[in-house]
Amino acid sequence: MRRKNSRNKIPLPPRDGLGASRVRLSEGEPVSAFAVLSRVIAEQRHKHPEDDEQAVLERFASGEVVLRDGSPLAPDTPITPGTDVFFYRRPAPETPVPFTIDTIYEDDSLLVVSKPPFLATMPRAAHITESATVRLRRATGNEELTPAHRLDRMTSGLLLFTKRASLRGAYQELFARRQVRKRYEAIAEYRGISAPARWEHHISKRHGEVAAAIIADAAPNALTNLLEVSLIDAPEMQKTHHTQQPIARYLLEPVTGRTHQLRVQMNAAGAPILGDPIYPAVSPFGEEDFTVPMRLASVYLGFPDPISGELREFSGPGFSAGCVSI
């Protein structure tokens, strides 16, 4: 049995910030719709403790289990392999992320925000309601609000959303085609690294593994320009991250967008980002401290607007805002 995401039109509209889920019986004999849904929910890794068989039956009674054409299913309706069934998931309780999402820019089409650390971009795995997308949809009442790109959960900074479904593809395509210029600020111990410089590595991340790795002697697939390195006076950050070493602001411009690219490359350069829970060592899951964020922030986005053609530029504060360069 496979749970799938689809870009096709979904027969159940988003509700309370969340889109409907889809499940498909992949093989075997036909089974009842109740059996299909009960099994999927029971196998969820992050399951609401009250999402039991009675809660599954209530979905059917409310007409919230449907086929692709929107036809509601009864619990005993036979489901054949290859049939898509849609329903609303029930998120498990989550620890609230104690930070706000700040608006940087808004017009009739776009919303640009500064995402805090610890908040996922999109609902995923254990982080469903504590995601920027769900929070903003609930705050604005706009269920069509969709990010045009993603930031790692631990990465802060500029995140661009489209406000209407009709605009979604045009802006997402900009990011997919690497037509958006991005800059990030990373805070790490000062290691005498010279700038400007160009970092080229082959980064690989296997499914199911937390950390990505650099593959030696392989063709580069991850390119980043290191634009500036400047020492900063930030004693509170040094105290938070338990270091007495001088710390610096690294201004990075990724050319490609591999998973964890900047984090991996900063670690490879001998200057792992302060607060990074994966590089150089993976922290145990669930042992997060909201007072110790990862110091990586998206601070600039620039692109030719796909609708108007004009140059759009957005800047946001990084972690060094207010720090003194030395």
Side-chain angles (χ1 to χ4, degrees):
M1 195 178 296
R2 296 180 295 165
R3 273 157 282 185
K4 302 185 69 178
N5 295 319
S6 174
R7 293 189 178 183
N8 298 328
K9 185 175 181 180
I10 294 178
L12 290 173
R15 185 177 70 179
D16 200 22
L18 285 170
S21 295
R22 175 172 71 135
V23 63
R24 175 181 294 176
L25 186 66
S26 57
E27 58 185 14
E29 298 295 321
V31 296
S32 71
F34 176 79
V36 170
L37 202 57
S38 295
R39 178 179 170 186
V40 167
I41 291 172
E43 291 177 349
Q44 286 179 336
R45 183 177 179 184
H46 305 286
K47 175 179 175 293
H48 195 288
E50 297 177 0
D51 205 357
D52 53 18
E53 290 189 357
Q54 182 57 41
V56 174
L57 289 172
E58 288 172 1
R59 287 179 173 87
F60 285 99
S62 300
E64 296 177 353
V65 185
V66 303
L67 296 174
R68 179 168 291 283
D69 64 3
S71 304
L73 296 171
D76 59 355
T77 302
I79 303 298
T80 57
T83 301
D84 291 331
V85 175
F86 296 83
F87 68 100
Y88 291 113
R89 80 185 90 178
R90 188 173 183 179
E94 299 176 44
T95 301
V97 175
F99 305 116
T100 60
I101 303 173
D102 297 324
T103 298
I104 301 296
Y105 172 84
E106 184 173 10
D107 61 22
D108 291 340
S109 302
L110 302 178
L111 174 64
V112 181
V113 301
S114 181
K115 183 188 81 67
F118 300 100
L119 198 66
T121 297
M122 293 283 289
R124 185 180 181 187
H127 310 291
I128 305 300
T129 57
E130 288 304 300
S131 62
T133 299
V134 172
R135 272 202 190 182
L136 288 169
R137 284 178 177 176
R138 290 178 174 181
T140 63
N142 181 1
E143 298 285 5
E144 294 187 16
L145 200 64
T146 303
H149 60 119
R150 298 189 184 195
L151 294 177
D152 286 348
R153 178 171 169 267
M154 297 300 293
T155 302
S156 311
L158 296 175
L159 191 57
L160 184 148
F161 286 79
T162 57
K163 298 175 72 173
R164 299 193 302 277
S166 60
L167 299 172
R168 186 177 306 165
Y171 288 92
Q172 288 179 342
E173 193 69 15
L174 279 177
F175 286 87
R177 293 184 176 181
R178 301 176 187 171
Q179 295 176 330
V180 178
R181 190 175 184 184
K182 310 173 193 176
R183 288 180 180 171
Y184 290 77
E185 174 190 273
I187 307 296
E189 293 180 354
Y190 179 68
R191 296 299 185 187
I193 300 169
S194 299
R198 185 175 176 88
W199 292 341
E200 300 184 357
H201 300 93
H202 186 100
I203 295 177
S204 175
K205 186 175 184 300
R206 295 180 180 179
H207 179 71
E209 294 187 358
V210 175
I214 289 177
I215 307 300
D217 301 323
N221 63 0
L223 311 178
T224 297
N225 294 318
L226 173 62
L227 302 179
E228 298 174 5
V229 179
S230 55
L231 281 163
I232 58 173
D233 182 25
E236 287 302 315
M237 263 195 273
Q238 289 172 300
K239 181 179 178 181
T240 296
H241 295 283
H242 308 290
T243 179
Q244 296 181 344
Q245 297 298 317
I247 59 175
R249 171 185 182 266
Y250 297 77
L251 186 61
L252 305 164
E253 186 175 70
V255 179
T256 56
R258 311 298 299 185
T259 299
H260 297 177
Q261 177 172 316
L262 300 181
R263 300 164 66 178
V264 171
Q265 291 181 314
M266 285 288 292
N267 185 54
I273 298 168
L274 294 181
D276 193 324
I278 297 179
Y279 309 95
V282 178
S283 301
F285 178 79
E287 294 187 5
E288 293 181 333
D289 184 346
F290 290 133
T291 67
V292 186
M294 184 175 76
R295 306 289 178 167
L296 177 65
S298 168
V299 295
Y300 173 83
L301 294 174
F303 55 88
D305 191 281
I307 308 302
S308 67
E310 66 176 309
L311 176 64
R312 307 292 292 267
E313 294 183 288
F314 304 101
S315 297
F319 282 107
S320 67
C323 295
V324 178
S325 296
I326 56 177

